[in-house]
């Protein structure tokens, strides 16, 4: 929802145009904000956004500057969370978030032209409500409510576009959240270990070696696949897609030593 690259807006438009009261039913995700085996001190790096049940804006704050000295913060709801660190001795501009809070500090150094930095924000139910309310310009309240069996799904983006965003830049955020989407579609609670176990049993039984698989993005060093299992996995994907041009359009390409 509100992904900065995919830009699917159908769900957002439905909520904006609705004349009904809006509520967020929390508590479906069963897991930590970091995956099993993730390095905690990478929390400020763009490639390690937190895992949550309703991700918004890629779960990152985007800091940009078209001209030197400027600073634009997206989402704007985080503007008040930024403060100047006058004690910093940094010679280059870079934003640092405090580990357990959404307090962002920047040095007394000007941004360069075309500056861009993504910093994962600290997720919480309160932050989700704040971002939803600010984006929709409507009050969103909290509710304890189980997902009804007759609930309908809104598809904001084409699957192939999501797969390309997953594969071409190696998007860890999409990898983790897509895995939880599969859990939902398989009728499971939003639990990474449970959906991995289900996928291994249902789809990966043909792998020659049992993989050790602990997260969606591969950030954990606990993931272990043998080379022949990887080759078999690629073969299964090739047969499943059954369209060479479609499949190859989702995969990174290399020519010699130069990546295209």
């Amino acid at each position: 929802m509100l992904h900065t690259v995919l830009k699917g807006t159908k769900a957002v438009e439905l909520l904006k145009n609705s004349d009904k009261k809006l509520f967020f039913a929390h508590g479906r995700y069963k897991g930590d904000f970091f995956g099993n085996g993730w390095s905690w001190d990478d929390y400020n790096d763009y490639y390690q956004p937190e895992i949550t049940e309703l991700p918004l804006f890629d779960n990152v704050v985007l800091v940009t500057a078209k001209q030197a000295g400027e600073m634009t913060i997206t989402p704007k709801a985080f503007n008040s969370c930024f403060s100047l660190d006058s004690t910093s001795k940094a010679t280059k501009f870079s934003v640092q978030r405090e580990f357990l809070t959404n307090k962002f500090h920047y040095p007394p150094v000007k941004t360069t032209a075309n500056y861009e930095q993504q910093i994962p924000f600290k997720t919480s139910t309160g932050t989700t409500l704040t971002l939803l309310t600010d984006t929709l310009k409507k009050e969103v309240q909290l509710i304890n409510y189980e997902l009804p069996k007759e609930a309908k799904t809104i598809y904001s983006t084409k699957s192939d576009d999501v797969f390309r965003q997953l594969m071409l830049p190696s998007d860890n955020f999409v990898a983790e959240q897509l895995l939880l989407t599969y859990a939902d579609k398989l009728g499971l609670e939003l639990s990474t270990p449970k959906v991995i176990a289900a996928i291994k049993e249902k789809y990966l039984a043909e792998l020659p070696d049992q993989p050790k698989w602990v997260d969606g993005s591969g950030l954990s060093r606990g993931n272990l696949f043998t080379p022949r299992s990887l080759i078999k996995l690629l073969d299964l994907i090739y047969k499943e897609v059954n369209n060479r041009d479609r499949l190859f359009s989702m995969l990174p390409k290399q020519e010699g030593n130069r990546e295209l």
Side-chain angles (χ1 to χ4, degrees):
M1 191 171 180
L2 299 169
H3 192 278
T4 53
V5 176
L6 297 173
K7 300 186 182 300
T9 60
K10 289 183 180 179
V12 174
E13 292 304 318
L14 174 73
L15 297 176
K16 280 185 175 181
N17 296 327
S18 175
D19 59 358
K20 301 181 182 299
K21 291 183 178 180
L22 302 181
F23 297 88
F24 172 52
H26 66 114
R28 294 193 67 209
Y29 172 56
K30 308 298 181 183
D32 295 324
F33 58 85
F34 279 175
N36 183 359
W38 289 15
S39 177
W40 71 267
D41 56 351
D42 287 344
Y43 72 92
N44 202 73
D45 295 319
Y46 74 93
Y47 54 78
Q48 194 163 291
E50 296 187 2
I51 307 170
T52 186
E53 59 193 336
L54 182 58
L56 301 167
F57 298 99
D58 319 5
N59 283 354
V60 298
V61 176
L62 176 63
V63 178
T64 57
K66 290 184 178 181
Q67 304 294 329
E70 295 180 349
M71 184 171 67
T72 301
I73 300 166
T74 308
K76 293 181 180 179
F78 285 102
N79 278 343
S80 62
C81 300
F82 278 67
S83 62
L84 174 68
D85 179 8
S86 59
T87 65
S88 173
K89 304 299 182 181
T91 57
K92 293 183 178 180
F93 185 90
S94 181
V95 177
Q96 182 71 35
R97 196 200 86 206
E98 294 183 11
F99 180 45
L100 294 177
T101 67
N102 280 320
K103 293 181 179 180
F104 300 83
H105 305 286
Y106 58 92
V109 180
K110 289 185 177 181
T111 57
T112 56
N114 300 316
Y115 181 84
E116 181 173 309
Q117 183 183 0
Q118 291 180 315
I119 311 104
F121 58 78
K122 189 78 193 75
T123 59
S124 68
T125 300
T127 298
T128 298
L129 291 175
T130 297
L131 291 176
L132 285 173
T133 298
D134 184 69
T135 301
L136 300 173
K137 308 304 178 186
K138 292 182 177 182
E139 182 183 13
V140 181
Q141 300 181 47
L142 199 62
I143 192 172
N144 291 317
Y145 192 73
E146 291 188 3
L147 184 70
K149 292 183 180 179
E150 67 274 15
K152 296 180 180 179
T153 300
I154 295 174
Y155 295 94
S156 294
T157 310
K158 293 181 179 179
S159 297
D160 283 10
D161 292 339
V162 177
F163 296 149
R164 289 188 186 95
Q165 180 60 28
L166 166 69
M167 295 299 297
L168 297 182
S170 187
D171 192 317
N172 295 330
F173 167 81
V174 171
E176 295 297 338
Q177 300 296 162
L178 198 57
L179 193 60
L180 296 184
T181 300
Y182 292 154
D184 177 67
K185 291 306 175 185
L186 291 173
L188 304 171
E189 66 181 40
L190 302 189
S191 164
T192 298
K194 289 187 177 181
V195 70
I196 286 177
I199 291 173
K200 286 168 65 177
E201 180 180 357
K202 187 172 183 178
Y203 299 108
L204 303 181
E206 294 184 47
L207 296 188
D209 303 299
Q210 184 71 11
K212 184 180 179 184
W213 179 17
V214 298
D215 69 353
S217 61
L219 282 173
S220 173
R221 295 182 180 181
N223 297 296
L224 297 171
F225 283 67
T226 63
R228 64 178 182 176
S229 284
L230 290 175
I231 296 299
K232 182 62 178 179
L233 180 60
L234 290 171
D235 183 54
L236 291 172
I237 294 172
Y238 189 85
K239 292 176 180 176
E240 175 73 20
V241 176
N242 197 28
N243 184 319
R244 180 186 177 94
D245 291 340
R246 179 189 170 210
L247 175 60
F248 283 17
S249 73
M250 304 178 198
L251 301 177
K253 303 174 181 65
Q254 284 192 338
E255 181 177 314
N257 294 322
R258 182 168 62 92
E259 186 170 341
L260 301 178

